[in-house]
Amino acid sequence: MIMKRRLKYWLGSRGIIPVAAFTFFLCCSAKDDLSFAQENYQLIESSWFLNMKDFSRSAHGTLSCESCHGIMDESPGGHPLPGTSWSQRKGSTERYDYGRCRLCHKESYERYTKGVHAEALKKEKAAPQYLNLPGDKRAPTCGHCHSSHYEEARLSRVESGRRMTDVCGGCHLSQKKTYMDGFHGKTAVNLGDSLSAYCSDCHGAHNCVSLKTPEAALGACLRCHPKADLSFAKFVIHPAPPAEKDGKDGKKAQWITVIRVVTAAMSGLVLLVVLFSYGHSFLWILRELHEKLRRH
Amino acid sequence: MAERRQEEIVRFSVLNRLLHLFVMIGFAGLALTGFSLKFSSQTWAQAVAWILGGSCGIRSFHRIFAVLTYGCVVVHLLWLLYFRSALKGRLTGPDSLFPSLKDFRDLLEHVRYMFGRGKVPVFPRFSYWEKFDYWAILIGMNTMGATGLVLWFPEFFTSFFPGYILNVAQVLHLYEAIMAVALKFVVHIVTTHLRPEVFPLDRSIFNGRRRFERGRAGLIGILFFLTLSALGSGISEAEAVAVSPMPLTEEGRTRACLDCHRFPNVHTNEGAKSSQAFCLECHGSDSCTREDGTLLKVSIDSFGKGRHAHEACVMCHRDVARSPHKSQSGALCTHCHGVHGEGVAGDPHLRVQCQACHRKSLFVEYDSKKDLVILSHKDDKGVALALTDHSLPELRDRESCTRCHKAGNKVGAASAILPGKSILCIFCHNAPATLGHWAFGAAMLVFLFGLSGMLLLWFKGRIEGEEQSFHKKISVVSERLWETIFSRGIFRIFSVFFLDVILQRRLLRESVRRWFSHSLIYYGFLGKFVLGLLSFIFFGLFSTAQLSTAMLDKNNWLQAILNDLFGGIILIGLAFAVIQRIMVRPAHVLSEEQDSVALILVGVIVAGGFLLEGARIVLTGIPADKAIYSFIGYPVSTILRSITKDWQGAYGYLWWFHGITWAVFFAYLPFGKLKHILTTPLTLLIREGGTIERR
């Protein structure tokens, strides 16, 4: 009897409150969104129109157009004429000569020329078949990662790290996913812990290094983990299933297989145990409710 | 009181109670901090992290709780050692937590009891589920402790093991944690505290005695609070529209870069005009052609006088003003306009581009890349079309539907032009607030006729001594209704509604099996009704929100899963009922003809629905990776496809068959056995209202 009354008390009168609150929150979360803010990063960058509000706030906001673009009428090609086929086929990031960035960003530029992205660019120039690859497989230059008109200056470490995750992750999808699944990504990006590691902390910002072997990775580990040794560096930071072309890296593939097998086995076990015990509890409660109702 | 207390068994010693309290606190803390890290992308987790002092705080608290919890295990093990060696206690045998064969027999017998065969077995001091709880947590805490320690001191442990042991430890730690929370937070609390026999709280673990008084549980309140705070986290801040308010320079002087390249304020008429002028500099002249010579001149007549005359071109052609000068998305109507629901065009047509209907061009094609029916850039003879006509034609005539809905079309449309859904369909589908085709209107009329007959029959009886005057009867009833609604009695009505109507307490009292088979059908329909109603409400309130569009979309994965799940549940329930009726035939099953008619009708409707879904999947050619979420409709579609690939003609007939069977079912509701859907809840509620009056 006590139980009955109590159940009614909670579910009857007080039950309205959570239901009402639930509806309210559902309604709040279903708001309309028609703003330009949703626009894709890339689309804004290659647009013919400059958003002055964002530009004047950006790192390059004090520069005049001519500081980077030169005087259009005096440049060899002149202003790209509307309707000419080359202006329609090529994006602005492919057409712009990023050598001009070197005038101010000397160190970054030189680091870039030593890194793997520049190496890929050289390969691309040597072998024209690479030019037919889709955009996210092409070798990146300055403009692919940095927005020349809207990049903000003096970002905090956390804020630039968060943007970096999106920019690098735009092409390195599985790396971004595994990074965000791992401890570094969660603490650094989600919780804003500036002591944790962002992409460039291990791979470097402009001379992006691929840290495929533990020997190569150790140097990166040592920056934050002073006691790390070679065995420590065998921790798989990006445990995604290896791509076809990386098949040669046999040991890492083996480790990843072990990790995946353990994951599969554990999820199977969890599923079995949970299903069994939930079914058990449900049936039990059903039967007891039945008996209880009969007694009344 | 005092005498009774002395008779009671002391079930848990003070030490064990203390340990349980600490483990409880520690475990809750561990789960909170641990899952806040795991789900740190969620707002609630970030809120927890913020309160506890960021990621460092979470880590510190997690480790403090871990030490506290594992400390309890150590104390427990030490106590076992003391118990064994100093007190010469027994660690095995019937009075202990040591698992034995009897536990397995108990489990089997208990499961037999749950199925209604046999009695509850006499459990030893610790029953099998308590032992399971104990061993699960003992083993779990040790693996959690071990893997946690590895993750706490990675440098130390990797000097013995290779580094990927950390990966393995992470996986084990996570899954073990999920299992622990799923078991301890749900099963343990439910079986030891919320079970009807012990509800609302088994206090023996806190006061040591076997339960004998029950206190008020704040537990449900806490659970509700937790649910609420979890729900509240989904709101993000609206982002501001970024527009520059600077004016343009005068014409007539040498152009500076920003004369053209400044993004105009497209929300003002001046900005819109200047944006149009930019585009029309080329697209207004006759020399603007595609490479194949198609004229791309935008006619000011069709555009400048239409509804969009004061919109900037880039408002719709959002990704084309750039290099390369090529659009990926085409003109986007949905940036400003929401999609329309069932009422306007019969079906939301979510896989049809807006322009395919709302433009004058008559030629459409299916774009498999975008999975959309779009306006074609070529006519049926292969001559290129420019599509520069921006006028918005009138669409009220059925002629415009025949672009797609004709025999032998290549865009996967049914060859018949089907009417829109009716409000009658809302019991299973999302539907507009219109009656639709006259056939549904007729069904509604018959239904209302039957309903009024039922009401008249009720009012024939004597109401509070009044026998004759119909008018007085109505006034008495409305008076009582008013009194009940504006009294405390309304809460009793709510609770009866919840317990008897929603949870079907009466049926459960009679038999678990009947409750089960009836519930399957009932909850299947209820689920579909709630889905239909929710999407109706949502679409009415927030027609442009993403969620409402998703709720309209039959191919949305969640909608597809839920709809097939509820439909499947109804079918299973029907099968269960038929087996009861034909094979088992218990005493309570009075297999009347009316029952069979009801069962067959429901079966035909649901099976017809799945057939229709399968035909729709074949017809519209939804890719398998999308269609697979309709886990019943998709297998049906593969069977249908193996029969014939051409379902364009048959779809219309199937649709009408499904629609008419439902209309018949609906019209039949107030007459046959199915009346109980209306009468039983009403009777229960009225009876409850009556008891309040008498008090």
Side-chain angles (χ1 to χ4, degrees):
Chain A
M1 207 48 217
I2 298 170
M3 171 220 129
K4 213 165 103 186
R5 211 181 299 151
R6 202 148 285 145
L7 202 66
K8 279 181 181 171
Y9 174 75
W10 280 109
L11 299 178
S13 56
R14 297 296 155 94
I16 306 165
I17 300 163
V19 167
F22 180 70
T23 325
F24 175 73
F25 283 122
L26 270 185
C27 294
C28 290
S29 56
K31 62 180 164 48
D32 297 8
D33 196 347
L34 300 175
S35 71
F36 272 94
Q38 268 193 333
E39 211 84 333
N40 186 321
Y41 195 79
Q42 285 250 310
L43 294 191
I44 294 175
E45 188 49 39
S46 69
S47 169
W48 289 337
F49 304 113
L50 200 60
N51 185 334
M52 284 305 286
K53 190 180 172 191
D54 288 345
F55 174 68
S56 51
R57 207 163 49 184
S58 78
H60 292 165
T62 52
L63 301 181
S64 70
C65 308
E66 287 80 11
S67 331
C68 299
H69 294 282
I71 296 168
M72 265 296 161
D73 298 338
E74 290 169 13
S75 68
H79 189 281
L81 285 175
T84 48
S85 63
W86 67 273
S87 81
Q88 293 180 359
R89 295 261 163 76
K90 273 187 166 178
S92 47
T93 22
E94 283 168 57
R95 225 170 44 229
Y96 188 77
D97 175 15
Y98 286 103
R100 290 186 196 166
C101 302
R102 193 183 185 179
L103 293 174
C104 302
H105 303 279
K106 194 161 175 253
E107 201 176 333
S108 310
Y109 191 84
E110 268 157 23
R111 277 190 188 165
Y112 168 79
T113 53
K114 286 174 198 152
V116 284
H117 284 158
E119 220 169 88
L121 191 68
K122 265 182 222 155
K123 226 176 14 181
E124 206 169 76
K125 280 185 178 156
Q129 75 265 21
Y130 286 111
L131 288 176
N132 297 327
L133 287 173
D136 59 340
K137 300 275 184 224
R138 298 280 298 277
T141 55
C142 309
H144 287 96
C145 305
H146 301 284
S147 160
S148 34
H149 292 132
Y150 306 121
E151 205 68 84
E152 283 171 53
R154 295 194 186 84
L155 290 177
S156 69
R157 182 174 145 75
V158 174
E159 192 47 44
S160 77
R162 280 179 177 158
R163 294 192 184 186
M164 179 195 305
T165 314
D166 285 339
V167 169
C168 303
C171 298
H172 301 278
L173 294 171
S174 83
Q175 279 81 354
K176 181 189 176 185
K177 188 179 173 297
T178 44
Y179 168 73
M180 290 305 298
D181 280 346
F183 184 77
H184 288 144
K186 285 187 194 309
T187 47
V189 177
N190 290 339
L191 300 181
D193 183 354
S194 60
L195 293 176
S196 192
Y198 299 99
C199 310
S200 62
D201 292 335
C202 301
H203 298 280
H206 290 102
N207 56 334
C208 311
V209 198
S210 164
L211 303 167
K212 283 212 168 110
T213 57
E215 290 79 8
L218 181 58
C221 301
L222 279 169
R223 282 181 212 150
C224 304
H225 303 270
K227 284 184 204 153
D229 54 8
L230 199 57
S231 168
F232 178 81
K234 285 177 184 168
F235 174 51
V236 190
I237 292 274
H238 300 294
E244 291 293 317
K245 60 181 166 68
D246 296 343
K248 57 182 189 274
D249 197 27
K251 257 202 178 145
K252 197 168 164 188
Q254 261 178 17
W255 301 338
I256 290 173
T257 320
V258 170
I259 295 162
R260 288 164 66 80
V261 166
V262 172
T263 312
M266 277 309 282
S267 37
L269 179 71
V270 171
L271 201 69
L272 273 182
V273 171
V274 168
L275 272 185
F276 173 75
S277 37
Y278 278 32
H280 178 266
S281 308
F282 177 69
L283 280 178
W284 189 3
I285 286 172
L286 218 56
R287 178 58 57 184
E288 270 192 7
L289 265 178
H290 170 68
E291 306 264 310
K292 191 134 197 146
L293 288 170
R294 280 190 94 101
R295 256 177 272 145
H296 280 296
Chain B
M1 282 296 262
E3 284 164 39
R4 267 193 76 185
R5 259 183 206 180
Q6 280 177 353
E7 280 170 25
E8 275 166 6
I9 313 162
V10 175
R11 196 146 182 256
F12 299 107
S13 68
V14 175
L15 177 71
N16 283 339
R17 279 179 256 163
L18 210 61
L19 284 182
H20 178 265
L21 193 68
F22 279 129
V23 167
M24 201 172 77
I25 295 168
F27 186 70
L30 280 171
L32 184 71
T33 49
F35 280 106
S36 295
L37 183 60
K38 167 68 192 160
F39 297 108
S40 52
S41 57
Q42 305 293 316
T43 320
W44 65 263
Q46 282 166 9
V48 171
W50 181 75
I51 291 167
L52 297 181
S55 87
C56 280
I58 278 199
R59 252 177 293 170
S60 315
F61 274 106
H62 196 70
R63 285 161 189 177
I64 291 168
F65 284 126
V67 169
L68 176 75
T69 314
Y70 200 77
C72 293
V73 178
V74 173
V75 171
H76 175 68
L77 292 178
L78 284 179
W79 184 80
L80 280 186
L81 200 70
Y82 172 75
F83 177 72
R84 179 82 187 85
S85 52
L87 300 182
K88 304 286 174 211
R90 284 171 57 86
L91 292 183
T92 54
D95 222 19
S96 73
L97 276 161
F98 201 76
S100 68
L101 256 182
K102 176 161 182 346
D103 295 319
F104 194 66
R105 281 200 299 272
D106 280 352
L107 168 66
L108 287 182
E109 207 171 325
H110 201 204
V111 170
R112 277 171 58 82
Y113 152 75
M114 288 176 205
F115 282 100
R117 306 159 184 245
K119 283 183 181 165
V120 188
V122 181
F123 295 116
R125 180 175 173 193
F126 296 106
S127 57
Y128 70 90
W129 73 85
E130 283 165 329
K131 287 183 185 178
F132 175 74
D133 264 359
Y134 172 79
W135 285 101
I137 208 167
L138 194 66
I139 295 169
M141 278 213 227
N142 279 306
T143 46
M144 288 305 272
T147 50
L149 217 55
V150 169
L151 295 172
W152 190 348
F153 304 105
E155 291 99 338
F156 175 74
F157 282 96
T158 48
S159 56
F160 306 112
F161 305 104
Y164 71 95
I165 191 87
L166 299 178
N167 292 95
V168 176
Q170 274 179 345
V171 171
L172 289 176
H173 203 76
L174 170 66
Y175 281 86
E176 186 76 39
I178 291 172
M179 181 150 69
V181 167
L183 292 186
K184 293 295 151 205
F185 275 7
V186 181
V187 175
H188 174 70
I189 288 177
V190 164
T191 50
T192 44
H193 298 305
L194 299 182
R195 232 169 358 106
E197 289 286 319
V198 284
F199 186 83
L201 179 68
D202 185 349
R203 286 193 157 188
S204 59
I205 193 65
F206 299 114
N207 58 19
R209 299 184 295 277
R210 261 216 173 282
R211 60 176 187 283
F212 113 102
E213 50 175 4
R214 300 193 189 102
R216 172 171 287 180
L219 188 67
I220 297 183
I222 294 168
L223 283 180
F224 279 157
F225 174 70
L226 285 179
T227 330
L228 281 189
S229 37
L231 284 171
S233 60
I235 310 163
S236 61
E237 283 169 31
E239 281 164 84
V241 180
V243 174
S244 157
M246 310 277 267
L248 281 166
T249 49
E250 315 90 338
E251 293 288 326
R253 64 167 172 78
T254 332
R255 283 188 185 180
C257 307
L258 288 178
D259 284 352
C260 300
H261 289 291
R262 179 198 295 278
F263 187 76
N265 184 352
V266 291
H267 298 296
T268 63
N269 282 355
E270 288 83 2
K273 284 288 173 225
S274 87
S275 166
Q276 286 174 10
F278 181 93
C279 299
L280 285 173
E281 208 165 297
C282 295
H283 286 281
S285 77
D286 292 330
S287 61
C288 184
T289 56
R290 215 179 269 141
E291 274 162 25
D292 57 9
T294 331
L295 186 63
L296 290 178
K297 183 185 174 185
V298 176
S299 142
I300 289 291
D301 283 344
S302 68
F303 180 66
K305 286 176 192 159
R307 288 186 194 181
H308 292 145
H310 296 288
E311 293 297 344
C313 305
V314 289
M315 274 305 260
C316 309
H317 300 275
R318 289 174 93 89
D319 65 340
V320 81
R322 60 177 181 144
S323 309
H325 187 34
K326 207 178 185 179
S327 176
Q328 303 276 318
S329 58
L332 288 177
C333 308
T334 47
H335 269 290
C336 301
H337 303 279
V339 296
H340 48 66
E342 290 278 350
V344 181
D347 198 72
H349 281 83
L350 291 172
R351 290 167 84 239
V352 177
Q353 191 193 31
C354 310
Q355 288 92 325
C357 300
H358 291 280
R359 283 276 175 273
K360 268 192 176 160
S361 174
L362 291 176
F363 305 101
V364 284
E365 66 182 7
Y366 174 68
D367 182 349
S368 57
K369 247 187 221 163
K370 289 183 195 160
D371 191 24
L372 266 184
V373 174
I374 58 168
L375 273 189
S376 178
H377 280 278
K378 286 174 196 151
D379 67 7
D380 46 5
K381 289 179 194 95
V383 180
L385 295 172
L387 302 180
T388 48
D389 190 346
H390 279 73
S391 59
L392 299 161
E394 184 64 38
L395 290 176
R396 299 242 167 94
D397 53 342
R398 290 158 69 88
E399 282 298 303
S400 49
C401 304
T402 50
R403 278 179 210 182
C404 303
H405 293 278
K406 59 187 176 191
N409 67 74
K410 292 201 172 62
V411 293
S415 53
I417 300 172
L418 296 164
K421 286 202 183 74
S422 152
I423 187 72
L424 301 194
C425 308
I426 204 169
F427 295 97
C428 296
H429 305 281
N430 50 61
T434 52
L435 268 179
H437 197 265
W438 61 265
F440 299 118
M444 189 61 146
L445 268 184
V446 177
F447 173 79
L448 287 179
F449 177 72
L451 199 65
S452 47
M454 245 161 68
L455 286 179
L456 281 179
L457 196 72
W458 277 358
F459 277 98
K460 275 215 172 117
R462 195 169 55 163
I463 298 174
E464 297 207 350
E466 183 58 49
E467 285 197 43
Q468 293 303 317
S469 165
F470 196 68
H471 164 74
K472 274 187 184 164
K473 281 182 195 169
I474 289 185
S475 96
V476 164
V477 168
S478 34
E479 186 68 35
R480 289 285 162 271
L481 207 63
W482 183 264
E483 275 174 10
T484 319
I485 288 174
F486 291 97
S487 71
R488 277 175 58 89
I490 191 68
F491 296 123
R492 276 184 66 79
I493 299 266
F494 280 147
S495 77
V496 167
F497 178 75
F498 186 76
L499 291 171
D500 285 319
V501 179
I502 302 285
L503 294 182
Q504 308 184 64
R505 184 169 54 172
R506 269 148 215 277
L507 216 54
L508 185 61
R509 180 188 292 170
E510 275 178 44
S511 144
V512 175
R513 194 178 294 153
R514 273 193 72 182
W515 181 87
F516 204 69
S517 91
H518 187 264
S519 285
L520 283 174
I521 302 175
Y522 174 65
Y523 288 133
F525 272 114
L526 197 67
K528 294 209 84 167
F529 179 48
V530 168
L531 269 187
L533 205 61
L534 273 184
S535 49
F536 178 82
I537 293 170
F538 258 79
F539 193 75
L541 291 177
F542 317 98
S543 58
T544 51
Q546 263 184 343
L547 185 63
S548 343
T549 320
M551 288 182 102
L552 284 189
D553 188 1
K554 289 171 190 164
N555 300 315
N556 176 278
W557 64 274
L558 193 61
Q559 278 283 317
I561 289 180
L562 286 179
N563 271 311
D564 273 28
L565 180 71
F566 292 136
I569 284 177
I570 300 174
L571 277 188
I572 294 172
L574 285 176
F576 206 80
V578 168
I579 290 170
Q580 295 259 44
R581 229 150 267 272
I582 299 168
M583 321 274 271
V584 186
R585 263 187 173 274
H588 65 261
V589 176
L590 299 165
S591 204
E592 296 165 22
E593 264 176 34
Q594 285 200 338
D595 284 10
S596 313
V597 169
L599 283 181
I600 289 169
L601 251 180
V602 173
V604 166
I605 288 165
V606 178
F610 279 122
L611 206 62
L612 204 53
E613 187 178 26
R616 179 176 60 83
I617 292 171
V618 177
L619 189 69
T620 51
I622 301 163
D625 59 330
K626 233 179 174 184
I628 196 77
Y629 292 112
S630 311
F631 56 89
I632 300 178
Y634 183 66
V636 172
S637 80
T638 48
I639 296 169
L640 290 183
R641 193 178 283 120
S642 68
I643 301 169
T644 165
K645 281 185 181 167
D646 184 29
W647 285 87
Q648 288 187 355
Y651 185 82
Y653 296 106
L654 280 177
W655 192 93
W656 273 115
F657 177 69
H658 184 64
I660 291 293
T661 38
W662 175 257
V664 168
F665 178 86
F666 191 74
Y668 177 64
L669 264 186
F671 299 103
K673 164 89 178 185
L674 288 166
K675 190 157 58 181
H676 82 273
I677 299 174
L678 304 168
T679 51
T680 313
L682 217 55
T683 320
L684 286 172
L685 293 180
I686 288 172
R687 191 184 298 165
E688 196 53 42
T691 49
I692 298 163
E693 263 168 51
R694 279 199 296 278
R695 268 194 225 144

